[in-house]
Amino acid sequence: GASALILNAVRLHIENPRICEYACGAIHSLAGLQANSYWLMEEKATDVLFACMSRHINSTVIQEHALLAIWSLGLWEGNRSRLVDAGVGPLLLGVMGTHKENSKIVETGCGIITNLSTVETNAEAFIVNDAIPKVMAFARQHMQRESVQEKTICTLRNLSWWSDDHASILVDQDVNDFIKNLLQNYPRNDVIKTKGKEMLDKLNRIKLRQKGIL
């Protein structure tokens, strides 16, 4: 069908940026249906996406379309561990670093990490790749972008949720002040308010444990 034609076209013309752009956009659209997304994973659409991202690392447009395609694939629970096993973590963080001044790429990247980190082993894989300090650094580039900060706080929450060891990394990164600034800057944002207060409570408990109080 059309999906197979798209994947084969990219494999044959990986050096063509326009074909990569259109193919990534098509995968994004097709992966909105669960059955399509599972088929795309079986046919190793990730290889095509990763190749486009790697070959055209400086193309903002291709990276935006590719990240949206990965986001669509990761919406479905059955794909989340498979995406991480395929190596999405290091490449994703690398793209976010290369384009850290692009708020759309940072925001979409955080959305992907948030979804994938609903699986504990995925969160651990991202943490091994220093996702927490990297996401913090990217987010600080966009302190005035509410949508980026909303995605960032969800990402940090999911990455740190599975264990105190993970959350301790946030303590080391002085996330308390970062969260307090967000709560002050965006008092009407319910996501930032809810996740921020939840995280502050957890981080404060960890600090008390570290001091031997709890």
Side-chain angles (χ1 to χ4, degrees), residues 153 175-184 196 199-200 203:
I153 203 162
V175 174
N176 277 50
D177 290 339
F178 176 81
I179 295 173
K180 289 175 182 176
N181 285 335
L182 292 187
L183 292 172
Q184 183 176 353
M199 288 178 65
L200 285 177
L203 295 178

Side-chain angles (χ1 to χ4, degrees), residues 113-183:
I113 297 171
T114 298
N115 284 343
L116 299 184
S117 295
T118 56
V119 179
E120 183 176 2
T121 53
N122 290 351
E124 290 173 350
F126 276 110
I127 286 170
V128 167
N129 285 285
D130 296 324
I132 288 177
K134 288 177 180 177
V135 167
M136 289 292 301
F138 305 151
R140 288 190 168 108
Q141 298 273 336
H142 305 281
M143 292 303 293
Q144 303 308 312
R145 300 281 297 191
E146 183 172 353
S147 59
V148 174
Q149 300 310 321
E150 182 178 305
K151 290 290 193 306
T152 298
I153 203 162
C154 290
T155 300
L156 295 175
R157 185 267 184 196
N158 281 12
L159 285 173
S160 63
W161 186 251
W162 296 101
S163 78
D164 285 355
D165 287 341
H166 296 172
S168 295
I169 300 173
L170 295 179
V171 175
D172 296 337
Q173 293 291 316
D174 296 325
V175 174
N176 277 50
D177 290 339
F178 176 81
I179 295 173
K180 289 175 182 176
N181 285 335
L182 292 187
L183 292 172

Side-chain angles (χ1 to χ4, degrees), residues 71-131:
W71 177 78
S72 287
L73 290 168
L75 287 176
W76 308 106
E77 188 173 353
N79 288 338
R80 291 176 187 169
S81 291
R82 297 177 70 185
L83 281 166
V84 173
D85 291 343
V88 74
L91 181 58
L92 171 59
L93 292 167
V95 168
M96 292 171 73
T98 300
H99 299 275
K100 58 182 177 293
E101 295 181 358
N102 184 301
S103 61
K104 186 174 181 181
I105 286 178
V106 172
E107 181 178 344
T108 306
C110 284
I112 293 169
I113 297 171
T114 298
N115 284 343
L116 299 184
S117 295
T118 56
V119 179
E120 183 176 2
T121 53
N122 290 351
E124 290 173 350
F126 276 110
I127 286 170
V128 167
N129 285 285
D130 296 324

